[in-house]
Amino acid sequence: MSQNTMQIVIQAKDLASREFQKLQRSIQKVQKEAKSVGKDAKSAGADFEAMGNSAAMAAAAIVGMGAAAVQMANMGEAVRNTANRFEDLAGGAQEAQASLERMRTLTRNIADDQSLMQGASDLLLMGIAGTTREAEQIVELAVGLKRSTDTVADAINNFSIMLGNQAYLRLDSFGISAGRTRLRVEELLASGEALTREDAFRMAVLEIGADTMDRTIDSIDRTSTAFSRLNTDIQN
């Protein structure tokens, strides 16, 4: 190795050593400063953690609000679809609106509009009711005689199935006497007032159901509380 080369190597080592010493001193300084601010750093860390939790909660709230908005939009779309279907089956927007108003009154405003329109539409579509007036009568009985644990939609659906299938076993769930219904069916057929057993069953159920509701009207009114009406207003 030449003398010039040796000199370069020595100078490089000295330079590296000086730089290394600078680095060590810098590290020691940082360590000392870190110790002096350790408590403040912990406090700041806690603050940042709290801020982070708040931000996370806010983000979750925003996501929840977005999901709720989507759900409300979907519900609105479902109501519009139900209203359009009811209009078609009722014979136009004017008749559908008039029928809905009558059903609100008949059910003492404890049933939401979507359930009323959906139920009436199903009755018309299934042929159980031939007109909106007949559908309204059936809806009134289904809502008025339903169990307190049943929803309006379920009650109308169950009543429709009962009429469509001539289900005597379902009559009891609406407080209608199956024995009286059987007797009345035979009377309607014998007198010629009903031409088919299906018609006789429907006529008998509506007749006896109306009588049953008249006898229990006071209890029905008591259960039609302000809270129930408020809940209906919210749903509508």
Side-chain angles (χ1 to χ4, degrees), residues 52-117:
N53 290 338
S54 297
M57 291 174 64
I62 291 172
V63 172
M65 290 172 64
V70 171
Q71 184 178 9
M72 290 180 66
N74 290 337
M75 290 175 62
E77 183 66 21
V79 172
R80 284 192 293 273
N81 291 337
T82 299
N84 291 336
R85 180 169 174 251
F86 184 48
E87 286 182 9
D88 291 340
L89 292 168
Q94 186 174 354
E95 173 56 28
Q97 184 60 38
S99 179
L100 178 59
E101 292 290 347
R102 289 192 293 268
M103 286 191 288
R104 287 172 179 167
T105 301
L106 291 170
T107 58
R108 298 164 183 81
N109 293 314
I110 64 170
D112 62 280
D113 289 352
Q114 184 175 11
S115 295
L116 293 176
M117 291 186 293

Side-chain angles (χ1 to χ4, degrees), residues 28-200:
Q28 289 172 357
K29 183 179 180 181
V30 171
Q31 289 175 335
K32 184 183 292 185
E33 291 176 351
K35 288 181 180 179
S36 66
V37 300
K39 294 181 180 180
D40 292 338
K42 289 181 180 179
S43 177
D47 291 340
F48 278 119
E49 183 178 0
M51 290 172 63
N53 290 338
S54 297
M57 291 174 64
I62 291 172
V63 172
M65 290 172 64
V70 171
Q71 184 178 9
M72 290 180 66
N74 290 337
M75 290 175 62
E77 183 66 21
V79 172
R80 284 192 293 273
N81 291 337
T82 299
N84 291 336
R85 180 169 174 251
F86 184 48
E87 286 182 9
D88 291 340
L89 292 168
Q94 186 174 354
E95 173 56 28
Q97 184 60 38
S99 179
L100 178 59
E101 292 290 347
R102 289 192 293 268
M103 286 191 288
R104 287 172 179 167
T105 301
L106 291 170
T107 58
R108 298 164 183 81
N109 293 314
I110 64 170
D112 62 280
D113 289 352
Q114 184 175 11
S115 295
L116 293 176
M117 291 186 293
Q118 182 67 55
S121 294
D122 290 342
L123 288 166
L124 292 167
L125 192 62
M126 294 167 64
I128 296 174
T131 65
T132 53
R133 292 285 185 172
E134 291 180 4
E136 293 160 18
Q137 182 185 8
I138 296 172
V139 167
E140 178 189 14
L141 291 179
V143 175
L145 297 175
K146 78 179 185 68
R147 292 173 175 173
S148 59
T149 54
D150 290 341
T151 65
V152 169
D154 287 341
I156 298 175
N157 182 59
N158 290 337
F159 206 93
S160 300
I161 293 173
M162 179 182 70
L163 290 177
N165 296 334
Q166 301 177 49
Y168 285 91
L169 294 178
R170 287 179 177 260
L171 289 169
D172 183 62
S173 63
F174 290 96
I176 300 174
S177 170
R180 284 185 62 193
T181 302
R182 291 181 187 278
L183 289 175
R184 186 57 179 150
V185 166
E186 298 305 324
E187 290 174 357
L188 290 169
L189 288 171
S191 65
E193 294 180 66
L195 300 180
T196 67
R197 190 164 292 275
E198 181 181 359
D199 288 341

Side-chain angles (χ1 to χ4, degrees), residues 184-227:
R184 186 57 179 150
V185 166
E186 298 305 324
E187 290 174 357
L188 290 169
L189 288 171
S191 65
E193 294 180 66
L195 300 180
T196 67
R197 190 164 292 275
E198 181 181 359
D199 288 341
F201 180 81
R202 180 175 55 79
M203 293 168 63
V205 169
L206 296 183
E207 180 182 311
I208 298 172
D211 180 61
T212 301
M213 194 166 68
D214 286 342
R215 288 186 287 104
T216 59
I217 193 68
D218 289 339
S219 62
I220 291 173
D221 283 338
R222 284 196 297 270
T223 59
S224 302
T225 61
F227 179 79

